[in-house]
Amino acid sequence: MWRLVRRIALGVLALGLAASLAVVFVAAGTKLPGEVMTPAGFRRSTSQYVKMRDGAEIAVTVDLPSNLKSGERLPVLMRTTRYWRSSQIGWTLRMFIALHQVSVPDEIEDRQAAYFNERRFVVLAVDARGSGASGGNRVIEWSSDEVADMGEVAAWAARQPWSNGRVGTFGISYDGNTAELAAAAGQPVIRAVMPLYDNFDVLWAIQSGGVALSRQIQGWSNAVAAMDRNDVCGAQEDKGWDCWRDRLLAPGVRPVDDDSSGRHLADLVSQHHNVNVAQAVTKVEFRDDPAGAFKLAEISPSGLRAQIEASKLPMMVWCGWLDGGGGEDALTRYKNFSNPQIVIIGPLSHGGGFNVDPFAPSHAPPVPSTEEQLKMEADFFDRVLRDEVPKAIESSIQYYTMGEGQWHTTKNWPPEGMSTERLYLAEHNALSTAAPSGVSASDSYTVDFTASTGGQNRWDTGFGGGDVVYPDRATEDKKLLAYTSVPLDSDREITGSPVLTVQMSSTTSDGAIHVYLEDVAPEGRVTYLDEGILRVIDRKEVDPKNLPYASLGPAHSFLRTDAEPLTPGEPARIRFSLYATSVLLRKGHRIRVALAGADASDFRRYPPEGTPTWTVFREARRASFVDLPVRRISENAR
């Protein structure tokens, strides 16, 4: 979930003269940046309404390369957003920048769109219906009407005199979902899609393993509702001086050019009567629960599989190992969809702004750098949009191994050469390669609901794109039930989906299991590597053929009909996978598996009342263990 709030949070600039400068420029008759003319005779940046089949007016901004030549026709790249295609920030601050000849900060300049223009693509930014400056209402996020709108806007763009008739879609987070869903519009002018840091299955945007991301759901819902009211301060949750500054620097969404007074914009905004996202999705506990009047499958790329596969459109997919479940989403799509796909999984935060490798000495710049990311994206669109007959795209996965700092390429997942190493939960809080032989052995754990992964974890980056920084987990692990291996006798690569099998009983019928895979350095520092989450009533394993798509690990339906509450005091076998990962652990380090019953940083508490006490079994007939997909690295291979 990429929040525009970050894009318009410009307090650091404190440019109090911006508003008055706008008056000076207009009074002097100086051309605004948007009025720059191309050699072809078109204004470089324009904004207008495109009318849809039902009369809804969709606001579209068109940015042309500044040196577009007469008669030149270029591919079109389209981004559809519900976070405002553009804000009025462009007018005041760009004039200040032009007057003082200062560089444009990253937070202001849309580097991606600017780079695509430099690479000779036309770039469209579109306000999705019911948001920004567009008309209509939002009955649900990513509705069928929104998908149809993308097809119509693309068709309109393909007819314009600056277009070669071929359109690609792109975007980050929400906009990444729209980029992918555009493939379901059945519009032949759309030739390629680039979902960046999106959600393959929207269910996992609101929960992980059946455990709700409660804080983020409410925060995101509040922010987008304020934006739909054209309320900058509400979106920022700012008051007083901060609100005054916000309105000075970014007073609201950009009107279209023919609505310079903003009256029509105000009229359309007053008609926005959109669904309350939090109210709709917080009632979703299971996959088959409706979100308002809709099912999540109806608005998820995974649920529109037939249409997306039928399009046969090539995809370039970007994600980060520690961006929520990003790697899992991308790999699941790769496993299930027949579309040609180039998948890139890096040590990247949401949006690709930070290097989040937990072993990296610095988290900036990202890997690849922003410039390298943009070049790879433009190169992809060059291959598939520049000519009438596109260059063939061969499916592959390019992935980065954290801790090693190296990139690898594979056509299969998991990659060849991996084997399974089983580590058993053993006495004295050890992880052992030896299976337990005892008749009766267990550990007792009372859930600590203060346990947390901090405020810069893999889930928080999705709400603003910030860095992912886990503190030393040694202190936090004292709240958990942790098991640690002996020092590794060689470097060990873990690439794939670790799977936890835990035999346990609980004093309550419901609960959540949060399992963490960690590295323990010789000096004692504990580094977060990976995690998995499962609400215990979703533990039933089902036939994978009955799922809407094949998962990477044990198959759980997350259907209400398959929910199985625990019987207090009765043992149960629970098996689920951690998120897909790739990380290298060094010789002499130890592996730790830590079990928790809560993560207070982001997740809802289960059960809402009472405190569970678990009995975790580690005996011959009830063994608990983790299966790791590993490759041992010999001394000679370093």
Side-chain angles (χ1 to χ4, degrees):
M1 299 178 181
W2 183 263
R3 188 174 65 167
L4 178 74
V5 179
R6 179 174 179 269
R7 303 180 191 175
I8 60 178
L10 299 165
V12 293
L13 297 177
L15 301 179
L17 295 177
S20 58
L21 283 172
V23 176
V24 172
F25 267 72
V26 173
T30 305
K31 287 185 177 181
L32 297 173
E35 295 177 308
V36 172
M37 303 296 290
T38 71
F42 300 111
R43 288 178 59 196
R44 183 190 173 277
S45 182
T46 57
S47 192
Q48 68 182 88
Y49 282 116
V50 178
K51 189 164 289 189
M52 299 292 100
R53 63 214 165 273
D54 59 355
E57 297 173 288
I58 300 300
V60 178
T61 294
V62 179
D63 286 327
L64 305 173
S66 59
N67 57 353
L68 181 71
K69 301 178 181 65
S70 179
E72 187 176 18
R73 292 175 177 270
L74 300 177
V76 177
L77 303 183
M78 182 175 77
R79 176 178 65 86
T80 302
T81 185
R82 59 110 57 257
Y83 301 141
W84 299 352
R85 76 198 190 286
S86 179
S87 71
Q88 293 179 53
I89 190 174
W91 301 103
T92 55
L93 292 185
R94 286 178 193 274
M95 286 186 290
F96 179 89
I97 290 161
L99 180 67
H100 293 276
Q101 297 182 341
V102 297
S103 61
V104 181
D106 291 348
E107 291 86 353
I108 304 173
E109 183 67 14
D110 186 336
R111 298 177 66 183
Q112 191 176 44
Y115 182 82
F116 287 158
N117 271 168
E118 290 173 9
R119 288 287 298 268
R120 310 203 65 70
F121 292 97
V122 176
V123 180
L124 264 60
V126 183
D127 280 332
R129 74 165 50 213
S131 73
S134 287
N137 292 309
R138 303 185 63 77
V139 293
I140 193 67
E141 306 301 311
W142 304 295
S143 69
S144 58
D145 275 336
E146 189 173 346
V147 173
D149 291 345
M150 288 187 280
E152 292 192 31
V153 174
W156 169 85
R159 296 192 299 268
Q160 302 310 303
W162 31 255
S163 170
N164 72 357
R166 294 181 285 277
V167 178
T169 60
F170 73 99
I172 294 171
S173 195
Y174 185 101
D175 307 356
N177 274 54
T178 63
E180 183 170 3
L181 291 171
Q187 176 49 252
V189 303
I190 299 176
R191 300 291 188 90
V193 299
M194 186 180 290
L196 308 170
Y197 310 90
D198 75 326
N199 298 110
F200 175 66
D201 186 337
V202 174
L203 179 66
W204 308 133
I206 63 175
Q207 59 178 237
S208 173
V211 179
L213 282 154
S214 52
R215 182 174 66 84
Q216 291 169 342
I217 293 169
Q218 189 62 58
W220 188 82
S221 179
N222 292 344
V224 296
M227 295 179 73
D228 293 347
R229 299 191 303 269
N230 204 14
D231 178 5
V232 173
C233 298
Q236 295 275 92
E237 297 183 344
D238 283 343
K239 298 179 180 179
W241 156 254
D242 290 335
C243 177
W244 180 86
R245 179 203 60 207
D246 294 342
R247 292 189 181 282
L248 177 64
L249 299 179
V253 67
R254 174 183 173 182
V256 301
D257 296 345
D258 290 340
D259 184 29
S260 57
S261 68
R263 290 195 193 90
H264 191 52
L265 167 64
D267 181 54
L268 291 178
V269 169
S270 71
Q271 297 174 36
H272 289 170
H273 301 295
N274 299 338
V275 65
N276 184 306
V277 178
Q279 287 182 7
V281 304
T282 52
K283 297 177 182 178
V284 176
E285 289 190 84
F286 301 94
R287 179 178 296 281
D288 45 347
D289 288 348
F294 298 86
K295 293 290 182 67
L296 293 181
E298 297 172 335
I299 61 173
S300 296
S302 60
L304 297 180
R305 175 176 181 173
Q307 297 95 312
I308 293 174
E309 285 194 294
S311 75
K312 299 182 181 180
L313 294 181
M315 300 180 174
M316 174 175 266
V317 178
W318 285 74
C319 60
W321 284 127
L322 299 184
D323 173 20
E328 191 87 2
D329 277 338
L331 292 168
T332 302
R333 179 193 294 105
Y334 188 88
K335 181 175 182 176
N336 286 274
F337 279 19
S338 60
N339 301 66
Q341 299 173 58
I342 297 175
V343 176
I344 301 171
I345 314 176
L348 297 168
S349 59
H350 195 62
F354 293 91
N355 173 12
V356 302
D357 184 339
F359 297 105
S362 172
H363 281 210
V367 180
S369 69
T370 300
E371 292 72 21
E372 291 171 320
Q373 293 177 44
L374 295 176
K375 182 180 184 303
M376 293 168 70
E377 293 165 11
D379 286 348
F380 170 79
F381 280 130
D382 261 340
R383 293 176 62 185
V384 295
L385 298 178
R386 195 65 67 181
D387 302 317
E388 178 59 36
V389 179
K391 294 180 175 63
I393 297 296
E394 191 172 345
S395 292
S396 67
I397 302 167
Q398 300 173 37
Y399 68 96
Y400 177 99
T401 299
M402 299 178 290
E404 181 190 33
Q406 299 294 323
W407 286 88
H408 306 275
T409 300
T410 181
K411 293 184 180 300
N412 303 301
W413 193 264
E416 295 180 2
M418 308 307 298
S419 60
T420 299
E421 182 170 324
R422 178 167 292 181
L423 296 176
Y424 292 91
L425 278 54
E427 62 181 345
H428 308 305
N429 296 101
L431 282 178
S432 174
T433 56
S437 57
V439 175
S440 178
S442 63
D443 293 311
S444 180
Y445 172 68
T446 299
V447 171
D448 188 332
F449 284 105
T450 69
S452 171
T453 53
Q456 287 186 274
N457 60 37
R458 68 190 298 157
W459 309 105
D460 285 279
T461 186
F463 198 47
D467 200 358
V468 178
V469 182
Y470 285 89
D472 185 339
R473 296 277 299 166
T475 299
E476 200 66 25
D477 278 356
K478 294 177 181 178
K479 300 178 181 179
L480 313 183
L481 182 58
Y483 299 85
T484 310
S485 73
V486 298
L488 298 175
D489 57 5
S490 64
D491 289 356
R492 197 88 92 251
E493 177 191 338
I494 300 173
T495 297
S497 300
V499 175
L500 175 72
T501 299
V502 59
Q503 302 260 17
M504 62 174 285
S505 65
S506 176
T507 57
T508 60
S509 61
D510 197 3
I513 301 175
H514 299 253
V515 55
Y516 304 103
L517 182 66
E518 299 168 337
D519 170 276
V520 183
E523 70 275 13
R525 177 179 174 81
V526 180
T527 300
Y528 171 100
L529 304 175
D530 194 16
E531 72 183 81
I533 306 171
L534 185 73
R535 187 178 176 188
V536 296
I537 66 174
D538 290 315
R539 69 188 184 280
K540 181 179 179 179
E541 293 189 46
V542 300
D543 186 340
K545 296 179 181 178
N546 295 331
L547 295 179
Y549 54 83
S551 60
L552 300 183
H556 303 274
S557 72
F558 296 96
L559 297 175
R560 185 174 288 274
T561 54
D562 286 330
E564 293 183 344
L566 295 172
T567 299
E570 182 176 308
R573 181 178 182 270
I574 302 174
R575 193 171 75 105
F576 63 100
S577 63
L578 283 66
Y579 284 102
T581 189
S582 183
V583 62
L584 182 69
L585 280 61
R586 296 297 181 179
K587 178 181 178 179
H589 287 230
R590 293 176 291 162
I591 299 172
R592 175 172 291 175
V593 171
L595 303 179
D599 181 355
S601 62
D602 295 284
F603 290 92
R604 185 178 297 166
R605 168 180 174 150
Y606 297 86
E609 303 286 340
T611 301
T613 295
W614 298 348
T615 299
V616 176
F617 297 98
R618 45 177 178 77
E619 56 198 32
R621 66 191 182 103
R622 292 196 187 101
S624 297
F625 50 86
V626 63
D627 287 325
L628 300 176
V630 303
R631 177 188 288 123
R632 290 174 179 259
I633 311 297
S634 67
E635 294 283 345
N636 296 333
R638 292 190 202 175

